[in-house]
Amino acid sequence: MANMSSVKNPMPSQEPDIRNKNFDEVALGYTEQQALDEAARCLNCKNKPCTQGCPVAINIPEFIKETAAGNFEKAYEIISQTSSLPAVCGRVCPQELQCEKYCVRGLKGEPVAIGRLERFVADWHNAHSTESAVRPESNGHKVAVVGSGPSGLTCAGDLAKKGYDVTVFEALHLAGGVLVYGIPEFRLPKDIVQKEVDGLKALGVDIETNVIIGKTLTVDELIEDGFEAVFIGSGAGLPSFMGIPGEALNGVYSANEFLTRINLMKAYKDDSETPVMHAKRVAVVGGGNVAMDAARCAKRLGAEEVYIVYRRSAEELPARAEEVEHAKEEGIIFKLLTNPTAILSEDEKSVSGIRCVEMELGAPDASGRRRPVVKENSEFDIPLECVIMAIGTSPNPLIKSTTEGLETTPRGGIVVNEDGLTSRDGVYAGGDAVTGAATVILAMGAGKTAAAAIDRKLSGKE
Amino acid sequence: MNKLLKKRHLNPTVTLFTFEAPLIAKKAEPGQFVIIRPNENSERIPLTIADFDREKGTVTVIVQIVGGTTADLNAIPEGEYIRDVAGPLGKATETDGLKKVAVVGGGVGCAIAYPIAKKLTKLGASVDFIVGFRNKDLFFLEEEFTAASDKLVIMTDDGSYGEKGLVTDALKKLIEDGANYDEVIAIGPLVMMKFVAKLTKEYGIKTVVSMNPIMIDGTGMCGGCRLTVGGKMKFACVDGPDFDGHEVDFDEAIRRNSVYKEFEQEKACRLLNLK
């Protein structure tokens, strides 16, 4: 008999007032008892609506059934059949827009906490499994993967499991892409990412750090070197700024820079050599996950007032619901329907404030969201010392400019077909390099699609 | 991990490092840079490539030891390893079609200007190489500089070597004497490049400067290296590091380079056990 409670088992978490002063993980994960209880809420629907909402099509009712029976390792095996990074996805997927959105239990009450269960199963496996991955026999085909973020790791993992000799080229000194430079420790501990990377190495994947494709080597050189297919998962690129006065002032960061200093370079630790500003009052411009991460990091560095400045309303905030919730609990102040018009300085050197106008929602625009328009005579200033721009990125030009015949959109995103194939034979792409800033799970889905297409091509099934 | 093959102290604060980096050596061109992280906890810092040997697979950087990270690099003995080196990054200096060029270097910037002078000379251009140092003790690489140019003009602030004065004094004199340059390439402290650009603007001579702002990734991801050039935002790592000296907002660049001054001073104090 299913557990008919209309609400999810709550996620044990650090208290907001404690966690907003440390970088330890916020959500602590279900206990076995909570996992068993939550898994029992699943009705095991025959038509599995939840699975349709998953970009990597995890067999969700099946893994939950095994979880409810206490067969956690079996549950892990089911997830692993289609997902290569379960401990990551359980933490960072926007489940409310994916699997949980379609859960039948959500019609009357809260859906089954699929994401929390996925995390529980993955963490249980990591804590208890003694088996190390077995390197499959090589099929003799060499594939290059550019970038070690979610799309690259997924593509590499899927191909390595099939016996391909995969080399991953990473521009930074550490593998993981946005999982290490972007998403903070308190949301995704870095040892979890490292475990996933180590898992790939155990499968025989070679990871070459400090190699910038488009500079150190080109895509054409990879092909000349004998790689039969190349997957480009180089991620998002140049950070966008608003083009308002004052963006060159000291104290203005792109979210990429602020987060990279903190997450990749560990600037929050005393023994790190990389500096970062510890401002008392900070504004983060934008409403996505990156904006939430930047705001919560600023708070943890000791800021007393941290504002999220977003030009639309709460309903349009692109961030995961849980991140918005967590940010609010931690004392982040939301200035919604507010848009900056200038960054101010008293000494013409450092930031002293931000000038904003209030907005109201007009008719829907091309994105279907109601377009924010400026409210007359609504200008006001907020005094502060640091402004972080988290308003997106545009694709990195390095690969496009060094790969002849690689078609891109007017915005610079790489053009691909439904298999992830680019305009160049044997060259595939996926993730933010194609779509612009999106989610971890969509990038993983793209890596998966491309891996399947590469396998079909190189194994002669196509 | 890149093996440090050679370390040579050029003056009390400037050191030359040659290390193994075959892939970078294969591609490097004058004007490009590498990102180096000496140790596991180090910062990532951009360093301009001073020389490379494609056959031996080596790359050379010449570095002023100014802060924690450069001191960490300086502490690595020959035969040991540098934790991370990535590159070559940035665009190479444009040399096509140049016939008569003044290359102007200031301090450690002379070491960075050197491969450009060398390349231009090799391509058959006539190169006047103007180098500026505070005094004779800080001067280095005279032989190399001489070989890389038609005319080497040495300037020191105190007149202890070469002529007394600033590089802009020497450049002005050469221009006035009818040098008729196609282009001036200036590499050195921001203030020096600012004044070189100011001078050449008066004469209408195209001037290229090599910017060296604060960077993290060096590949176009962080935006920390942004500059205002001709009123537009540019990223030094992917759009540069070379820019039109008449268009660069130097005052802004000078201001932005001082963002972490306090942090660096505190770090320097920690290193010296003053705190």
Side-chain angles (χ1 to χ4, degrees):
Chain A
M1 176 65 200
N3 167 1
M4 291 315 289
S5 164
S6 66
V7 292
K8 292 177 180 177
N9 274 269
M11 179 62 123
S13 301
Q14 280 196 73
E15 286 301 318
D17 227 22
I18 293 170
R19 72 182 191 233
N20 66 12
K21 295 171 191 70
N22 69 52
F23 277 82
D24 299 337
E25 194 170 16
V26 166
L28 303 171
Y30 277 167
T31 60
E32 279 193 30
Q33 198 46 53
Q34 286 169 318
L36 291 169
D37 192 60
E38 185 63 30
R41 292 185 65 225
C42 176
L43 303 176
N44 252 295
C45 311
K46 270 215 181 79
N47 58 346
K48 305 176 189 177
C50 49
T51 294
Q52 301 154 23
C54 177
V56 295
I58 293 173
N59 189 342
I60 294 165
E62 203 58 30
F63 103 74
I64 294 183
K65 194 172 108 193
E66 295 299 339
T67 308
N71 301 327
F72 304 137
E73 189 57 33
K74 181 86 186 106
Y76 179 80
E77 279 167 26
I78 292 164
I79 298 175
S80 318
Q81 283 164 9
T82 52
S83 169
S84 32
L85 308 168
V88 174
C89 291
R91 287 171 166 81
V92 304
C93 267
Q95 288 95 4
E96 73 270 21
L97 302 176
Q98 299 173 355
C99 50
E100 293 181 18
K101 182 177 174 182
Y102 301 98
C103 175
V104 170
R105 296 297 306 264
L107 296 173
K108 265 187 182 178
E110 290 183 345
V112 175
I114 300 168
R116 292 172 187 175
L117 288 172
E118 181 186 23
R119 169 185 163 154
F120 169 80
V121 166
D123 287 356
W124 193 93
H125 167 83
N126 281 341
H128 293 86
S129 167
T130 46
E131 274 174 61
S132 54
V134 183
R135 186 177 177 165
E137 202 176 318
S138 167
N139 66 15
H141 292 293
K142 275 175 71 182
V143 178
V145 170
V146 180
S148 63
S151 73
L153 292 180
T154 302
C155 185
D158 281 13
L159 289 169
K161 282 178 199 158
K162 292 198 162 93
Y164 289 87
D165 292 334
V166 183
T167 305
V168 177
F169 296 96
E170 168 55 47
L172 293 171
H173 58 262
L174 195 63
V178 73
L179 306 176
V180 298
Y181 77 73
I183 303 177
E185 177 78 19
F186 58 79
R187 204 147 78 76
L188 177 63
K190 298 310 148 213
D191 55 3
I192 287 173
V193 182
Q194 192 53 49
K195 243 186 194 139
E196 303 288 1
V197 172
D198 290 344
L200 287 189
K201 286 183 184 163
L203 284 172
V205 173
D206 178 23
I207 298 186
E208 297 285 337
T209 53
N210 294 322
V211 179
I212 303 119
I213 301 302
K215 283 288 176 187
T216 320
L217 292 168
T218 62
V219 168
D220 288 293
E221 284 170 316
L222 294 177
I223 294 166
E224 283 162 29
D225 282 352
F227 288 103
E228 295 163 74
V230 178
F231 174 76
I232 303 170
S234 53
L238 311 168
S240 301
F241 287 84
M242 292 184 73
I244 58 174
E247 287 184 311
L249 288 165
N250 294 359
V252 182
Y253 285 106
S254 74
N256 274 2
E257 179 182 1
F258 186 70
L259 290 172
T260 301
R261 284 180 181 275
I262 292 169
N263 301 322
L264 179 71
M265 307 308 295
K266 309 276 174 241
Y268 65 92
K269 290 186 177 170
D270 280 344
D271 64 350
S272 172
E273 296 285 322
T274 300
V276 71
M277 193 174 171
H278 290 61
K280 286 284 164 225
R281 295 172 297 186
V282 180
V284 179
V285 181
N289 288 320
V290 173
M292 299 305 139
D293 286 345
R296 297 169 73 195
C297 281
K299 188 83 185 173
R300 282 161 173 76
L301 290 179
E304 285 155 12
E305 290 169 28
V306 181
Y307 300 92
I308 287 279
V309 178
Y310 179 59
R311 64 196 184 116
R312 299 179 195 253
S313 72
E315 216 172 292
E316 290 87 15
L317 279 170
R320 274 178 97 210
E322 188 178 295
E323 307 313 324
V324 175
E325 234 13 72
H326 280 160
K328 282 183 182 161
E329 287 168 10
E330 289 168 16
I332 309 296
I333 306 156
F334 282 70
K335 289 275 182 196
L336 302 173
L337 288 166
T338 302
N339 204 31
T341 54
I343 300 166
L344 312 171
S345 177
E346 277 164 10
D347 59 3
E348 295 191 3
K349 188 176 171 205
S350 310
V351 174
S352 66
I354 189 165
R355 180 156 295 161
C356 301
V357 285
E358 288 176 28
M359 312 292 280
E360 50 198 356
L361 293 178
D365 62 13
S367 73
R369 298 181 296 180
R370 291 177 65 193
R371 195 168 68 88
V373 288
V374 178
K375 224 191 249 181
E376 265 179 67
N377 302 320
S378 64
E379 197 172 85
F380 66 102
D381 296 347
I382 310 173
L384 41 79
E385 297 79 39
C386 179
V387 176
I388 300 164
M389 290 292 174
I391 54 169
T393 58
S394 59
N396 192 303
L398 293 183
I399 290 177
K400 176 186 75 173
S401 63
T402 53
T403 311
E404 215 165 304
L406 187 70
E407 200 185 317
T408 56
T409 65
R411 279 203 73 238
I414 300 171
V415 175
V416 296
N417 71 8
E418 65 282 358
D419 282 342
L421 180 66
T422 68
S423 55
R424 284 280 307 266
D425 191 33
V427 180
Y428 298 75
D432 285 3
V434 169
T435 56
T439 60
V440 167
I441 188 71
L442 285 174
M444 286 178 54
K448 206 167 187 55
T449 303
I454 290 169
D455 177 48
R456 284 198 302 274
K457 182 180 161 72
L458 298 187
S459 63
K461 286 176 203 149
E462 202 169 68
Chain B
M1 303 279 271
N2 300 63
K3 191 173 188 179
L4 180 59
L5 301 171
K6 188 168 99 176
K7 200 163 101 176
R8 192 173 134 207
H9 298 286
L10 300 184
N11 76 27
T13 64
V14 174
T15 310
L16 173 150
F17 302 88
T18 299
F19 49 82
E20 276 177 359
L23 288 179
I24 301 174
K26 209 170 140 192
K27 284 281 168 66
E29 289 292 340
Q32 291 188 296
F33 65 93
V34 289
I35 290 270
I36 286 191
R37 208 169 68 113
N39 306 318
E40 186 53 45
N41 284 330
S42 301
E43 235 185 307
R44 295 168 61 94
I45 54 165
L47 295 169
T48 307
I49 295 168
D51 211 348
F52 48 83
D53 188 321
R54 299 206 203 282
E55 267 96 70
K56 288 186 189 147
T58 63
V59 171
T60 297
V61 293
I62 296 177
V63 184
Q64 182 136 31
I65 311 304
V66 284
T69 312
T70 47
D72 288 345
L73 180 62
N74 206 26
I76 300 174
E78 280 182 5
E80 290 297 316
Y81 290 83
I82 304 171
R83 187 70 184 74
D84 297 291
V85 181
L89 293 160
K91 291 180 179 162
T93 300
E94 292 279 349
T95 48
D96 287 356
L98 296 177
K99 298 271 177 282
K100 175 84 179 163
V101 185
V103 178
V104 184
V108 73
C110 299
I112 299 161
Y114 159 67
I116 297 164
K118 185 168 137 183
K119 182 177 176 183
L120 284 165
T121 299
K122 206 171 148 193
L123 291 172
S126 163
V127 176
D128 291 349
F129 195 5
I130 307 169
V131 298
F133 289 86
R134 283 213 307 278
N135 59 52
K136 185 174 189 239
D137 294 341
L138 300 179
F139 182 61
F140 52 65
L141 297 180
E142 182 162 7
E143 225 173 276
E144 284 87 345
F145 291 172
T146 308
S149 57
D150 291 275
K151 184 192 284 179
L152 177 68
V153 182
I154 301 161
M155 304 296 290
T156 49
D157 292 359
D158 63 357
S160 54
Y161 199 58
E163 280 176 58
K164 184 177 165 148
L166 301 172
V167 289
T168 39
D169 301 332
L171 180 62
K172 187 176 166 104
K173 188 164 180 296
L174 287 164
I175 296 170
E176 291 282 335
D177 291 350
N180 209 7
Y181 297 120
D182 304 334
E183 188 172 305
V184 172
I185 298 173
I187 304 173
L190 288 167
V191 178
M192 183 209 92
M193 294 195 286
K194 175 183 167 175
F195 282 97
V196 168
K198 201 174 159 205
L199 175 73
T200 55
K201 195 164 187 183
E202 286 168 27
Y203 293 96
I205 305 168
K206 186 186 172 194
T207 297
V208 170
V209 294
S210 174
M211 303 300 284
N212 189 14
I214 294 169
M215 287 185 192
I216 305 180
D217 63 300
T219 64
M221 187 268 279
C222 82
C225 65
R226 61 192 190 275
L227 302 161
T228 303
V229 182
K232 292 205 175 102
M233 184 184 288
K234 296 280 176 190
F235 295 152
C237 66
V238 290
D239 299 321
D242 287 1
F243 292 100
D244 182 340
H246 298 154
E247 299 281 342
V248 171
D249 184 338
F250 283 104
D251 294 333
E252 179 189 291
I254 290 167
R255 177 166 54 64
R256 286 185 58 80
N257 263 16
S258 72
V259 177
Y260 297 109
K261 222 174 194 170
E262 277 171 38
F263 182 92
E264 277 154 17
Q265 275 162 358
E266 197 190 297
K267 202 161 70 178
C269 290
R270 270 206 317 254
L271 286 172
L272 297 167
N273 289 322
L274 296 176
K275 248 186 165 174

